Amino acid sequence: MSKQDSILKEMDNLFPNPKCELNYSKDYELLLAVMLSAQTTDKRVNMVTGPLFSQFDTLDKLSKLSISEIENHIKSIGMYKQKAKHFKSIVSSLVEIGGYVPNDREILLKMNGVGRKTVNVVLSNLYNEPCIAVDTHVNRVSKRLGLALMDDDVLEVENKLMKEFPKDKWSKLHHQLVLFGRYKCKAVNPECESCNLKDFCRDVHEYEKKA
Ligand code: SF4
């Protein structure tokens, strides 16, 4: 079995039904939550978006919040001042284009605070578009498993993953690699001893050194 097939098989074994761990019930809530999730955990984002989206349950209500009011709601997460500005700007952009998140990469990328990773997560979850969003987990796991070079930037990692795996696997694999990085192949103290992918791993020697 090829390395790629082994990885896909193990991901299906570990995470047969992976999904985004950010809570949302509306398309714009996902876009805002993904923007807020930069440099922080999904859990922490859910803690602020839960009360915020419940109290202001329409785009119209969110659009009436000032930047300082948004700051007050999200101040427990990192970079909240900058994120509050992006939040306000994204909500205004969405209101301007009709109040929905378009299936249009170019329009989304023009919004403040919305980068390639955010667009990939949003299009994949809302529109089932084949995408591989490279966040910190996908980046680390891809490099450990030799799917990318250590000094590749996130775009290079994304391109290599898209080349290595069939298109119909991309979205699911993205979620699986995020979960694998979050819960097993962690940045610190990865669970190498029980990892079925250690034959392919560049970092397994760290585990062997400790063993
Ligand atoms: S052996 Fe360890 S570092 Fe390598 S992929 Fe598995 S969990 Fe990650």
Side-chain angles (χ1 to χ4, degrees), residues 144-145 180 184-185 190-192 195 198 201 203-204:
R144 283 178 171 170
L145 288 174
F180 184 60
K184 190 163 183 73
C185 187
E191 297 173 12
C192 303
C195 180
K198 53 178 170 276
C201 183
D203 273 6
V204 73

mmCIF file of all heavy atoms in Angstrom, residues 144-145 180 184-185 190-192 195 198 201 203-204, ligand 1:
data_model
loop_
_atom_site.group_PDB
_atom_site.id
_atom_site.type_symbol
_atom_site.label_atom_id
_atom_site.label_comp_id
_atom_site.label_asym_id
_atom_site.label_seq_id
_atom_site.Cartn_x
_atom_site.Cartn_y
_atom_site.Cartn_z
ATOM 1 N N ARG A 144 5.820 16.458 9.396
ATOM 2 C CA ARG A 144 6.286 15.268 10.125
ATOM 3 C C ARG A 144 6.151 14.012 9.271
ATOM 4 O O ARG A 144 6.986 13.114 9.329
ATOM 5 C CB ARG A 144 5.486 15.112 11.426
ATOM 6 C CG ARG A 144 5.930 16.080 12.512
ATOM 7 C CD ARG A 144 5.102 15.927 13.759
ATOM 8 N NE ARG A 144 5.669 16.695 14.864
ATOM 9 C CZ ARG A 144 5.056 16.905 16.029
ATOM 10 N NH1 ARG A 144 3.853 16.415 16.241
ATOM 11 N NH2 ARG A 144 5.645 17.601 16.968
ATOM 12 N N LEU A 145 5.074 13.960 8.490
ATOM 13 C CA LEU A 145 4.830 12.763 7.684
ATOM 14 C C LEU A 145 5.550 12.812 6.326
ATOM 15 O O LEU A 145 5.347 11.932 5.482
ATOM 16 C CB LEU A 145 3.328 12.569 7.469
ATOM 17 C CG LEU A 145 2.559 12.118 8.717
ATOM 18 C CD1 LEU A 145 1.056 12.082 8.446
ATOM 19 C CD2 LEU A 145 3.045 10.743 9.188
ATOM 20 N N PHE A 180 -6.114 14.999 13.828
ATOM 21 C CA PHE A 180 -4.917 14.200 14.124
ATOM 22 C C PHE A 180 -3.866 15.084 14.816
ATOM 23 O O PHE A 180 -3.254 14.682 15.813
ATOM 24 C CB PHE A 180 -4.356 13.617 12.821
ATOM 25 C CG PHE A 180 -3.180 12.702 12.996
ATOM 26 C CD1 PHE A 180 -3.279 11.539 13.746
ATOM 27 C CD2 PHE A 180 -1.965 12.990 12.385
ATOM 28 C CE1 PHE A 180 -2.188 10.687 13.897
ATOM 29 C CE2 PHE A 180 -0.868 12.151 12.521
ATOM 30 C CZ PHE A 180 -0.984 10.998 13.293
ATOM 31 N N LYS A 184 -3.619 13.884 18.543
ATOM 32 C CA LYS A 184 -2.643 12.790 18.582
ATOM 33 C C LYS A 184 -1.228 13.261 18.221
ATOM 34 O O LYS A 184 -0.308 13.134 19.023
ATOM 35 C CB LYS A 184 -3.087 11.660 17.649
ATOM 36 C CG LYS A 184 -2.256 10.400 17.820
ATOM 37 C CD LYS A 184 -2.931 9.192 17.227
ATOM 38 C CE LYS A 184 -2.113 7.936 17.483
ATOM 39 N NZ LYS A 184 -2.177 7.488 18.891
ATOM 40 N N CYS A 185 -1.087 13.810 17.053
ATOM 41 C CA CYS A 185 0.237 14.277 16.625
ATOM 42 C C CYS A 185 0.386 15.728 17.095
ATOM 43 O O CYS A 185 0.550 16.654 16.306
ATOM 44 C CB CYS A 185 0.343 14.171 15.104
ATOM 45 S SG CYS A 185 1.985 14.533 14.487
ATOM 46 N N PRO A 190 3.650 14.473 21.219
ATOM 47 C CA PRO A 190 2.774 13.682 20.342
ATOM 48 C C PRO A 190 2.735 12.221 20.811
ATOM 49 O O PRO A 190 3.690 11.747 21.428
ATOM 50 C CB PRO A 190 3.445 13.807 18.969
ATOM 51 C CG PRO A 190 4.867 14.147 19.254
ATOM 52 C CD PRO A 190 4.864 14.940 20.526
ATOM 53 N N GLU A 191 1.620 11.558 20.516
ATOM 54 C CA GLU A 191 1.453 10.186 21.009
ATOM 55 C C GLU A 191 2.057 9.188 20.017
ATOM 56 O O GLU A 191 1.363 8.388 19.385
ATOM 57 C CB GLU A 191 -0.032 9.917 21.250
ATOM 58 C CG GLU A 191 -0.584 10.829 22.334
ATOM 59 C CD GLU A 191 -2.093 10.719 22.504
ATOM 60 O OE1 GLU A 191 -2.714 9.781 21.960
ATOM 61 O OE2 GLU A 191 -2.647 11.588 23.188
ATOM 62 N N CYS A 192 3.375 9.238 19.903
ATOM 63 C CA CYS A 192 4.076 8.442 18.881
ATOM 64 C C CYS A 192 4.008 6.941 19.156
ATOM 65 O O CYS A 192 3.968 6.136 18.224
ATOM 66 C CB CYS A 192 5.531 8.883 18.787
ATOM 67 S SG CYS A 192 5.721 10.626 18.418
ATOM 68 N N CYS A 195 1.172 5.442 17.499
ATOM 69 C CA CYS A 195 0.877 5.966 16.161
ATOM 70 C C CYS A 195 1.174 4.933 15.079
ATOM 71 O O CYS A 195 2.297 4.425 14.989
ATOM 72 C CB CYS A 195 1.695 7.232 15.912
ATOM 73 S SG CYS A 195 1.386 7.941 14.283
ATOM 74 N N LYS A 198 4.067 5.859 12.226
ATOM 75 C CA LYS A 198 5.445 6.221 12.578
ATOM 76 C C LYS A 198 6.481 5.764 11.556
ATOM 77 O O LYS A 198 7.539 6.358 11.460
ATOM 78 C CB LYS A 198 5.828 5.803 14.000
ATOM 79 C CG LYS A 198 5.624 4.388 14.383
ATOM 80 C CD LYS A 198 6.140 4.231 15.834
ATOM 81 C CE LYS A 198 5.773 2.902 16.416
ATOM 82 N NZ LYS A 198 4.401 2.918 16.977
ATOM 83 N N CYS A 201 7.192 8.709 9.487
ATOM 84 C CA CYS A 201 7.357 9.962 10.214
ATOM 85 C C CYS A 201 8.809 10.392 10.357
ATOM 86 O O CYS A 201 9.661 9.609 10.744
ATOM 87 C CB CYS A 201 6.723 9.827 11.592
ATOM 88 S SG CYS A 201 6.815 11.352 12.520
ATOM 89 N N ASP A 203 9.674 12.713 12.512
ATOM 90 C CA ASP A 203 9.901 13.108 13.908
ATOM 91 C C ASP A 203 9.843 11.938 14.872
ATOM 92 O O ASP A 203 9.984 12.115 16.070
ATOM 93 C CB ASP A 203 8.846 14.127 14.353
ATOM 94 C CG ASP A 203 9.274 15.540 14.005
ATOM 95 O OD1 ASP A 203 10.315 15.667 13.329
ATOM 96 O OD2 ASP A 203 8.585 16.475 14.392
ATOM 97 N N VAL A 204 9.643 10.713 14.334
ATOM 98 C CA VAL A 204 9.474 9.579 15.230
ATOM 99 C C VAL A 204 10.723 9.330 16.066
ATOM 100 O O VAL A 204 10.657 8.794 17.151
ATOM 101 C CB VAL A 204 9.061 8.320 14.447
ATOM 102 C CG1 VAL A 204 10.220 7.764 13.651
ATOM 103 C CG2 VAL A 204 8.493 7.267 15.370
HETATM 104 S S1 SF4 B 1 4.961 9.135 15.028
HETATM 105 FE FE1 SF4 B 1 4.464 10.857 16.421
HETATM 106 S S2 SF4 B 1 5.189 12.731 15.408
HETATM 107 FE FE2 SF4 B 1 5.077 11.074 13.892
HETATM 108 S S3 SF4 B 1 3.056 11.261 12.901
HETATM 109 FE FE3 SF4 B 1 2.837 9.795 14.580
HETATM 110 S S4 SF4 B 1 2.227 11.015 16.358
HETATM 111 FE FE4 SF4 B 1 3.028 12.434 14.815
#
